[in-house]
Amino acid sequence: QVQLVESGGGLVQAGGSLRLSCAASGSIFSINVMGWYRQAPGKQRELVALITIGGGTNYADSVKGRFTISRANAKNTMYLQMNSLKPEDTAVYYCNAPDNNNPLMDYWGQGTQVTVSS
């Protein structure tokens, strides 16, 4: 089992920045890819960014050039630096980590609220 805990959400004005963190604990040896997802009210959860244990990254088109995903493997922590925030970035942001050894297992954090005011 893996436990994921997000932090760093909050209220920010449009154009501002926030940095989210996701701390992993438990059977972290089973994690390769980690990712950030978000869900806005009335909308489906969507992928924001992914990062592999080797540092390879992938971003949703809507956040490219504004968001940066990173991870500190020694600290078992993943980050999402969010710059030039827009009101449409308002959502609950979730940390995710599929179990590399068990395709039926998918770990999620509890989510952290990000609200961008116009």
Side-chain angles (χ1 to χ4, degrees), residues 5 7 28 30-31 45 49 55 68 73 88 90-91 116-117:
V5 179
S7 61
I28 55 176
S30 65
I31 294 176
R45 192 172 296 189
T68 302
N73 292 326
E88 51 263 45
T90 295
V116 184
S117 63

Side-chain angles (χ1 to χ4, degrees), residues 72-84:
N73 292 326
K75 295 182 179 180
N76 302 322
T77 303
M78 176 179 65
Y79 306 96
L80 185 68
Q81 178 67 42
M82 305 185 294
N83 299 327
S84 302

Side-chain angles (χ1 to χ4, degrees), residues 12-19 38 46 48-49 59-69 80-90 93 114 116:
V12 65
Q13 288 188 333
S17 299
L18 281 175
R19 188 194 196 202
R38 66 186 182 186
E46 63 176 1
V48 175
Y59 295 92
D61 287 343
S62 59
V63 306
K64 282 181 181 177
R66 301 188 297 122
F67 291 10
T68 302
I69 190 171
L80 185 68
Q81 178 67 42
M82 305 185 294
N83 299 327
S84 302
L85 282 161
K86 304 175 181 180
E88 51 263 45
D89 294 318
T90 295
Y93 283 71
V114 171
V116 184

